[in-house]
Amino acid sequence: MKQKRRGCKTCIRTTLLGISVMAFSMGNPVYAAETEQETNTNAGVLQEQQGNIESPAVEDPSEQEKNIGTSEEKEPESVDQNGEKEDDVTEEAGIVTGEAGNVTEDTDKALSPDNGNVSEGQQNPNPQVFALNDLTVTPQDGWVYDKNVLTFSSSGDYTVTGNTTRDRIVVAPDFEGSITIENLTINTSSGAALLVDPSARLTLKLSGINTLKTSNVSNAGLDFRNVTSGSLIITSAAGDGMSDGSLTATGGINGAGVGGGSNGDTGNITINGGTITATGGINGAGIGGGSNGKAGNITINGGTITAKGGTNGAGIGGGSNGSADHITITGGTVEASDKYGRSGIGGGSNGSAKNTVITGGSIKGPVSGSPTDGNGNYVYRAILENQPGIPSVNVDGMDYKVAGNHENDDSYYLYMTGRDHVITTPQNRYIGEFANSKITISELLENMYTLTIPTSLELGSMHEADISVSGVYMTFPDMGKQVKVKVSDSTKISQEGALALSQMGGSAEVFTSVSNESGPLTTGIEILSVSDLGSDSRKIYFGDPATSDGSGTVPAGNYSGTLTFAVSVE
């Protein structure tokens, strides 16, 4: 529950020889591996190499039995390097190259804006839009369509849309550019729905509602494994930081939702925007490694991300037996967990995690790897509750780049360094107070600060005192204002800074001089001024007691004086 911080609205009266301490509130690795496909540059046709990939043993046999369903799926299948079953390859469409809309072989359903038939050599009536069975691609060149595989063989910028259970997409080696998927659904059993070569540098832009799903026992839905020089950036077609455009990516058994397939490491993945739901199969991470796969260099800067690992896989990080290294969250609304809610960001089963960095965003779910702010300072989770419809959160003047609330949850889960913080939303302001390795957030209802002065001062031995203000937090109406400490007009002090002292049981007139670095203190003189989030300290100096005539002879006795301060927010 939120705690409310309040305080009094009075000035401070302190006495020399009896000065108190009071708290006030004022109102007012990239891993080298065998390349998964080759492009014949002479013919512009992807040549598929047949081979066998043996599915690794699943760590949870009962879970596998429950999810596989048929004996055929339990056995390792003969697949090509794209994860496609040999007996599933169809030649229905022949080979289509993205060159002026010409069909080079069998033309049945091969190329037409309306999915009709095109006779050999016929020009596409709309050369900018190509319908390939169930997929539509623009522009007219830079790609090859063969055996139900659309391969982007040349660097450039493309758009793909459609709904298919028989086609897949491959991004060829050394590709560099962007693919916008717009209301695209691929649900396949013969490989990854979208396979990105480990040397490709792809920006995937999301528009509309998109699904990349495979039930193949080897692949991720969006497969990017054993990365060499490549990189994968996912963002909204509306721009970085936006949540427009969604992607649901689902991996098969041993595959991640986004990342590695069977025995596949992954890395160099950056998410800048979009709404992404990534779900791994058994042994796979939601975003990260496949079975026995590590994850490294995964960065989330924005967007709304829900990452769910399968049995033995992390939400974001390693697959079964896979570690996680350099997972960085610098923004976004992120929810990560495995099937049982144990491993959110970190390693999979039997895997470790290190170099987890959090500098922004709202992260719901377990986080391992001793997270820091990237500068060696550990960060701690604090829960900012009851924030329905609040679109932004600011911590100590920095935008935390949250992307709105979590699904069915109005709280924000903020990671901050081990000290006090000021949290600001468009509607309110809060204090995050650090103690015992925990940050507790409470609502700031009034101006808060702490004034500290010495508990006693004995003239003749101690001639100076420190006056300090710390822990200054202002409410919204007081932004830009300061806490000011002045000599109160109720103080019996002369214009020369002479403070009268009273003799206990006597009538002697004795004075002490009071000054600071600027000179004598008199009524209305400002001692110090402290702005929001600041602290400051000043010294006050006292002279030896003296009589009113200036002589150094002071009658024996006990003397006391009162120096009054006025504290205000101006």
Side-chain angles (χ1 to χ4, degrees), residues 72 78 121 139 247 264 400 424 431 549 561:
E72 179 183 359
S78 179
L247 169 63
Y400 251 42
T424 306
I431 303 300
D549 60 6

Side-chain angles (χ1 to χ4, degrees), residues 469-491:
V469 172
S470 60
V472 176
Y473 306 116
M474 300 289 189
T475 53
F476 280 126
D478 300 315
M479 294 294 284
K481 294 186 177 181
Q482 297 177 315
V483 175
K484 295 190 175 184
V485 180
K486 301 177 181 179
V487 177
S488 172
D489 57 9
S490 63
T491 299

Side-chain angles (χ1 to χ4, degrees), residues 18-103:
I19 304 179
S20 61
V21 179
M22 304 184 69
F24 286 78
S25 292
M26 295 296 294
N28 217 26
V30 287
Y31 317 108
E34 182 179 1
T35 303
E36 295 190 329
Q37 72 276 331
E38 299 177 353
T39 301
N40 185 322
T41 56
N42 293 326
V45 177
L46 181 70
Q47 303 295 323
E48 295 190 329
Q49 304 296 323
Q50 301 294 329
N52 294 324
I53 298 178
E54 182 176 349
S55 176
V58 178
E59 294 189 17
D60 189 341
S62 62
E63 188 71 17
Q64 181 185 21
E65 185 76 22
K66 187 165 54 178
N67 283 271
I68 293 177
T70 66
S71 59
E72 179 183 359
E73 291 176 329
K74 297 175 188 176
E75 297 297 327
E77 299 167 329
S78 179
V79 298
D80 67 11
Q81 289 185 350
N82 293 329
E84 180 175 1
K85 293 186 294 185
E86 290 178 340
D87 58 359
D88 279 352
V89 176
T90 64
E91 310 237 357
E92 162 183 36
I95 301 173
V96 179
T97 61
E99 297 174 358
N102 292 331
V103 180

